[in-house]
Amino acid sequence: MTVRDIAAAKQRHEKWPMLTAYDALTARIFDEAGIPVLLVGDSAAMVVYGYDSTIPVTVDDLIPLTAAVVRGSKRAMVVADLPFGSYQTGVTEALTAATRFLKETGAHAIKLEGGRRIIPQAEAMVAAGIPVMGHLGLTPQSVNVFGGYRVQGRGQDGDELMADAKALEAAGAFSVVLECVPEDLAARVTASLSIPTIGIGGGNQTDAQVLVWQDMAGLTPHTAKFVKKFADMNTLLGEAARAYADEVVGGVYPAPEHTYH
C-alpha cells in the first residue's frame, strides 16, 4: 500500500480501515487480515508502557516498536507517530525525528498532531520526501490544554478545524485523522478535502476509520463512546491463563504429548 493507493481509494469513494500495531506478531495478523494501513501510535505510551497519557513516550521508545511492525508486515503501509516533544520545537527537530523513523525502522510515513501551528514542520517533511499524515480534533498530546479528553470542533471551533485541515492539505499532507469531532463537521471536512480523512470518534462519513487495536479487540477495560469491541479478548486471555495455571498446579500439563523422550 502506498500514498497513491490511499489517494485513489478516495477518488473511488472506497472506505478503508486502519489499526494501531506495536509488535511483529499482531502486525502480521492484521496485515494478513487485509488492513491496509498500520499506525504505530504514541498510544503505545498507555497500552504498551502503562502511562496515563501519550505525553511521556519518546522517539527512542517508539523506534523499536515501529521496526517490529515493519518486520511483521508485508503489504500494509506503516505510519509512525511522532511523539510529544519531537517536532513542536521547530523544523530541524521535526526533520531529525521523522528521518530517524524512516531510516531506522523502515516506516513509510509519519503522523503528527496539530494544524496551522505545525505547518512549517509538515511542509519541510513533505519537501524532504517524507509522507505526512495530519491529526486534528482531539489531539491527545494537547490533553492538558483541552482540560481532558473532550469532543472538539463544536460551534466556531469547527471553522478553525476546517481551516487547519485545508492548511494541512495545502502543506502536502496525504491524509488527516479527525478525532472526537461532531459527525457533521467530519462530513464537511471530508467533502472539502481532496485527501482522505480518517475518523476516530467522527462518525461514519469519513473516508477511513482507525481504532487502537486493544480497544477494538476488547482488551481495554474502559473505552470511549466511539469504540466498538469486535471481540472479547480480555475474557478469552483470562480464561486461557486460568486454564493453564490450573493444569500446571494439578500436574496435568505438560502431558506426555508435550514431553520429549
Side-chain angles (χ1 to χ4, degrees):
M1 294 298 296
T2 67
V3 170
R4 292 185 65 180
D5 295 324
I6 297 304
K10 169 135 185 163
Q11 298 304 313
R12 296 192 299 266
H13 304 289
E14 293 177 359
K15 292 180 178 289
W16 47 273
M18 179 165 79
L19 282 173
T20 63
Y22 313 96
D23 62 79
L25 180 60
T26 50
R28 178 186 61 79
I29 293 170
F30 298 155
D31 190 64
E32 292 178 354
I35 303 299
V37 183
L38 298 176
L39 170 66
V40 187
D42 59 1
S43 47
M46 294 173 283
V47 298
V48 175
Y49 292 110
Y51 293 114
D52 292 331
S53 74
T54 64
I55 292 174
V57 80
T58 67
V59 170
D60 287 336
D61 290 331
L62 296 179
I63 288 277
L65 305 187
T66 307
V69 170
V70 171
R71 288 192 294 266
S73 57
K74 295 180 179 179
R75 176 179 175 270
M77 175 193 297
V78 177
V79 181
D81 225 348
L82 293 189
F84 180 74
S86 67
Y87 62 93
Q88 287 90 345
T89 53
V91 168
T92 301
E93 292 77 9
L95 279 173
T96 298
T99 300
R100 282 195 64 191
F101 275 105
L102 267 64
K103 288 178 68 69
E104 296 179 31
T105 74
H108 308 112
I110 62 91
K111 182 174 78 64
L112 74 170
E113 296 181 3
R116 283 161 289 179
R117 60 187 172 83
I118 54 88
I119 291 303
Q121 291 94 318
E123 288 177 335
M125 283 185 257
V126 171
I130 301 171
V132 171
M133 176 181 288
H135 187 155
L136 297 173
L138 174 58
T139 46
Q141 293 175 14
S142 302
V143 64
N144 291 327
V145 175
F146 296 146
Y149 296 96
R150 305 169 183 270
V151 174
Q152 303 296 313
R154 288 189 171 125
Q156 187 175 351
D157 290 342
D159 296 332
E160 295 296 314
L161 189 145
M162 178 70 79
D164 284 337
K166 290 186 174 180
L168 283 167
E169 179 182 43
F174 73 93
S175 59
V176 58
V177 173
L178 301 176
E179 180 168 358
C180 285
V181 300
E183 182 178 33
D184 62 333
L185 174 61
R188 286 193 289 115
V189 172
T190 300
S192 298
L193 299 183
S194 62
I195 60 174
T197 58
I198 305 160
I200 177 167
N204 66 1
Q205 298 304 304
T206 53
D207 298 300
Q209 296 289 330
V210 62
L211 284 175
V212 172
W213 86 258
Q214 290 91 340
D215 292 348
M216 178 275 297
L219 275 174
T220 313
H222 305 291
T223 57
K225 175 183 179 180
F226 58 78
V227 172
K228 177 179 178 178
K229 297 183 179 182
F230 289 83
D232 186 8
M233 294 299 295
N234 186 72
T235 298
L236 186 62
L237 279 176
E239 290 175 348
R242 284 188 289 272
Y244 162 71
D246 289 343
E247 290 200 6
V248 170
V249 171
V252 176
Y253 175 83
E257 63 265 28
H258 307 121
T259 305
Y260 297 105
H261 299 286

